[in-house]
Amino acid sequence: MINDLVKEINELNMGVDCGSDKVSILLYADDIALISDDSEKLQKLLNYMKSWCTKWRMKVNVKKTNVVHFRKKRKILCKHKLLYGNEIIDCVPNFRYLGFFFDEHLDFMFGTDLLIDSSNRALGSVISKFKMLKDAGFNTFTKMVDNCVNPISEYFSGIWGYVHNKKINKVHNRACRYYLGLPPKTPIYGFQGDIGWLLPKYRNYCNMVRLYNRLIKKENECLVRKIFLWDKEQPGKSWYKEFLCILEDIDYPVPDNNKYIDINNFIDKCRSHQYYEWKTLLISKPKLRTYMKFKTQFGCEPYIYLNISKSHRSVMSQFRMGVLPLYIETGRYDRTPVEKRICQFCSLNRIEDEFHFLIECCAYNYLRTNLYQKIDSIDTYFKDLSVEDRFVHMMKHHQILIVNYLLDAWTARKNLIYE
């Protein structure tokens, strides 16, 4: 029965040009969208819809029915009041269709903002449940985020994945900070490098590639295939041109006509591009002065997989990111010059930074001696290294031992302060 409506609406020839066809109506389950490039034509479609519903004794919920005038930002909003029967249909700046809010200028900012807010709430729920799990590690947390949070933030991103929303990393960064136990002002490139997750920007790129692969496999008679082919020929802004831009952004070759893109190869290219971008931006963050000495590859660090308490993981993460409240960090609060941020717990007259805390400070000699003994028993070359090389070597290859030392030394430091 509903197929007759589609056929009769299309025969009115009042839709939007799409190549050699006109698109007048879209149906999904019980949702109907009427489309026209003119308000008078759209009114005729609504009148026909009203007569068809009357004929088949069906009703339309006018309260849930809206009109959106899609247009460029400089174009004036249409003032024509559209009616369904005798009832005026509200003209709104955005409308939810199939779960996504389309705004009147089709810049997708309103819809993506709502998705980000929804996924942020979902992450809050994931975190509250993760806290109740005992002995749940990084793999479990990753699966919970991948299955309960990312599908929300990436919904419909095959269409809008090229959009650069400033909030797009908000949920991703919050998830990283929570698991690592980091304060809000931690340099993002530090924890992103240690977690090693693919950034939302690149995940959205991958979803655009997946959509492209589906489109090129469709039969030519399929509506979405016709729209895709029509979109490719448009001289102005189009989805296909934005798709080519994301390929150019990561230096991925443009596929030949109707050629399938290997998604695994594309993901590897995204990871490679993310690494070079991350490596370049690290230099711009003074707090990561020490981090850059031992972190050379973008990827998940071994200590993240360890079955350790959150306090152990938090101290280790803060130490690596340069935000552990040593004097080199807290001295910024009262603008103490760097050269005057001297360690107050030993007589070496050295700046209390990460290197001093791990390698030099006499206040923790008893802990450091025990640490070195354990490392010497499993690493015969360690004692031959210089102190600078020891620092880098331990941070790279002996993270489980460093985790225990850092928490014990940090506890000892707090006790010294209280004394």
Side-chain angles (χ1 to χ4, degrees), residues 222-384:
C222 181
L223 177 61
V224 292
R225 171 71 173 180
K226 291 179 180 179
I227 295 174
F228 171 64
L229 295 176
W230 168 80
D231 180 80
K232 288 180 68 175
E233 303 301 325
Q234 295 307 298
K237 186 178 179 180
S238 66
W239 180 89
Y240 184 71
K241 286 185 175 60
E242 296 292 353
F243 173 73
L244 295 180
C245 287
I246 72 163
L247 298 184
E248 182 181 357
D249 184 36
I250 65 168
D251 300 321
Y252 195 88
V254 177
D256 296 333
N257 191 31
N258 293 334
K259 186 175 181 180
Y260 179 84
I261 295 179
D262 187 337
I263 188 63
N264 293 322
N265 185 32
F266 185 82
I267 292 173
D268 291 339
K269 188 68 175 177
C270 286
R271 290 191 182 280
S272 177
H273 191 269
Q274 179 173 321
Y275 164 71
Y276 287 113
E277 187 180 62
W278 166 81
K279 193 73 174 177
T280 303
L281 293 171
L282 275 182
I283 305 172
S284 64
K285 297 298 179 182
K287 288 185 180 182
L288 299 176
R289 62 200 171 271
T290 306
Y291 183 78
M292 289 184 287
K293 295 179 181 179
F294 53 80
K295 181 68 174 179
T296 56
Q297 295 295 323
F298 187 95
C300 192
E301 287 293 315
Y303 78 93
I304 293 178
Y305 289 106
L306 295 176
N307 186 19
I308 55 178
S309 67
K310 188 171 183 180
S311 57
H312 280 87
R313 189 163 52 245
S314 178
V315 170
M316 179 67 164
S317 301
Q318 291 181 63
F319 181 82
R320 290 171 62 89
M321 314 299 164
V323 293
L324 192 67
L326 301 172
Y327 199 18
I328 186 66
E329 171 67 8
T330 58
R332 295 188 307 107
Y333 307 156
D334 55 9
R335 298 184 179 179
T336 302
V338 174
E339 62 274 9
K340 293 185 178 181
R341 299 176 193 178
I342 305 300
C343 179
Q344 303 172 6
F345 307 104
C346 69
S347 57
L348 295 179
N349 199 34
R350 302 284 180 81
I351 296 173
E352 190 188 25
D353 56 12
E354 292 80 17
F355 180 83
H356 178 79
F357 187 72
L358 180 59
I359 299 293
E360 295 179 331
C361 189
C362 303
Y364 321 113
N365 276 344
Y366 66 101
L367 295 172
R368 191 175 299 110
T369 299
N370 186 36
L371 172 65
Y372 284 178
Q373 288 176 350
K374 291 179 180 179
I375 295 177
D376 285 335
S377 66
I378 58 177
D379 192 338
T380 56
Y381 298 101
F382 178 73
K383 58 185 178 181
D384 298 326

Side-chain angles (χ1 to χ4, degrees), residues 92-154:
V92 296
N94 53 72
F95 185 73
R96 184 175 184 175
Y97 184 64
L98 302 183
F100 186 81
F101 277 88
F102 292 87
D103 58 274
E104 58 190 348
H105 303 304
L106 286 180
D107 60 9
F108 299 117
M109 296 304 292
F110 182 77
T112 53
D113 281 345
L114 291 177
L115 290 180
I116 291 168
D117 291 341
S118 296
S119 61
N120 199 32
R121 292 192 295 271
L123 177 60
S125 179
V126 165
I127 289 173
S128 65
K129 290 175 174 59
F130 187 77
K131 288 178 180 178
M132 296 186 291
L133 298 177
K134 293 183 178 180
D135 301 324
F138 179 68
N139 288 332
T140 302
F141 184 71
T142 300
K143 287 183 179 179
M144 292 175 74
V145 171
D146 284 343
N147 289 284
C148 301
V149 179
N150 291 342
I152 299 173
S153 62
E154 297 171 25

Side-chain angles (χ1 to χ4, degrees), residues 2-27:
I2 198 71
N3 290 335
D4 293 338
L5 173 63
V6 176
K7 181 180 178 182
E8 293 167 12
I9 288 285
N10 286 331
E11 287 176 351
L12 295 175
N13 202 31
M14 293 182 181
V16 175
D17 290 328
C18 181
S20 58
D21 297 321
K22 279 187 178 289
V23 179
S24 306
I25 183 171
L26 297 174
L27 284 82

Side-chain angles (χ1 to χ4, degrees), residues 163-204:
V163 173
H164 299 291
N165 191 322
K166 294 180 180 179
K167 301 178 183 178
I168 199 166
N169 288 329
K170 176 182 176 182
V171 181
H172 177 90
N173 292 340
R174 182 189 172 197
C176 294
R177 286 194 186 97
Y178 164 74
Y179 188 79
L180 296 178
L182 292 168
K185 294 187 178 181
T186 305
I188 61 174
Y189 305 118
F191 59 72
Q192 286 179 356
D194 271 16
I195 287 283
W197 286 341
L198 195 63
L199 289 175
K201 166 186 171 180
Y202 297 107
R203 294 202 306 267
N204 293 337

